[in-house]
Amino acid sequence: MRTVGSHVIDRFDGWISGLGTTSGRRIVVGHWPDTPLGSFTDVMTESADGHRTLLAPSEEVAAFVAATYTFDEVRIVPVTHTAHDDRRRVVAGPLQVSWRVGGRPPLGRLLRAVPGALAVHPWWLRAIDPFARRVLPGVRTVGTAGNGRREYYGARDLHRVLAASARWDDGDCGALAPVAPPVRFGFGSAPATPSHVRITTLVERSLT
């Protein structure tokens, strides 16, 4: 966290995995090893009928995320994240989701070539936002969040998600599918192609 004038900028470093399912449920997992709130994993999910749910591991995480994004329901539940080689698994209340991470497409190699300090600088993210929207429809690198906050997404790497399985309340969500229609938690969506993205998120908020 750093202070700039009358604003605070909170920095969250981690991975976002976004995937769709043939049942229509879209799932966005954020795994955040380095944040002002400590290390945590949270899940944003939208059902086929548009119901948006946040699954958060604590009151503190739920309060911060719900103040930044928009949900129809917030649940505080135990959230576990496990990783082994290219496999990831998250269990969060009613959700169980597993996915397999694949290789980097050309865009992933391009993102890795951008120097780290530049890749997460707000002026750079403002400059590339128009290009990001054209290359990945629905994706934004900067925008207005809830409660007057402003967010910046600095993608550092990108891998495809090759396979996934998910269950919600003991019901099978079906096979891996695109993140379509786009999720509606904030000003932008996860990429339509299921992806595992190394990312730095900056949240700018007022001190008052």
Side-chain angles (χ1 to χ4, degrees):
M1 181 178 72
R2 63 189 178 94
T3 302
V4 180
S6 62
H7 291 78
V8 169
I9 298 179
D10 296 300
R11 176 171 172 151
F12 295 75
D13 284 300
W15 292 86
I16 290 178
S17 301
L19 58 96
T21 65
T22 51
S23 70
R25 180 170 294 280
R26 287 90 75 209
I27 300 165
V28 180
V29 175
H31 178 59
W32 306 104
D34 186 8
T35 85
L37 306 178
S39 176
F40 69 90
T41 301
D42 67 336
V43 180
M44 305 178 192
T45 179
E46 185 170 351
S47 64
D49 63 5
H51 189 80
R52 297 162 296 181
T53 303
L54 169 65
L55 304 173
S58 69
E59 293 275 4
E60 184 181 29
V61 169
F64 189 95
V65 176
T68 309
Y69 299 90
T70 302
F71 303 97
D72 303 297
E73 181 182 7
V74 175
R75 298 195 199 183
I76 298 169
V77 296
V79 181
T80 61
H81 172 276
T82 55
H84 181 71
D85 295 331
D86 62 347
R87 309 282 176 161
R88 305 290 185 273
R89 176 175 170 81
V90 165
V91 178
L95 176 70
Q96 300 176 49
V97 57
S98 302
W99 65 100
R100 184 159 63 91
V101 179
R104 292 183 185 92
L107 179 57
R109 294 192 289 273
L110 179 63
L111 291 172
R112 278 173 55 85
V114 179
L118 177 62
V120 301
H121 199 288
W123 73 258
W124 167 257
L125 296 173
R126 286 191 294 267
I128 67 171
D129 183 63
F131 302 99
R133 282 189 267 179
R134 284 199 292 270
V135 173
L136 296 170
V139 172
R140 301 284 305 277
T141 58
V142 61
T144 301
N147 293 289
R149 299 179 177 189
R150 192 163 185 81
E151 268 195 297
Y152 301 88
Y153 292 125
R156 313 282 296 279
D157 195 359
L158 182 147
H159 294 251
R160 296 293 190 216
V161 171
L162 299 182
S165 63
R167 298 186 67 82
W168 179 267
D169 280 338
D170 294 326
D172 189 345
C173 295
L176 180 67
V179 183
V183 290
R184 301 172 299 116
F185 311 119
F187 61 84
S189 177
T193 300
S195 302
H196 181 70
V197 183
R198 169 77 174 90
I199 198 163
T200 295
T201 298
L202 304 178
V203 181
E204 182 179 340
R205 55 189 175 87
S206 174
L207 282 170
T208 58

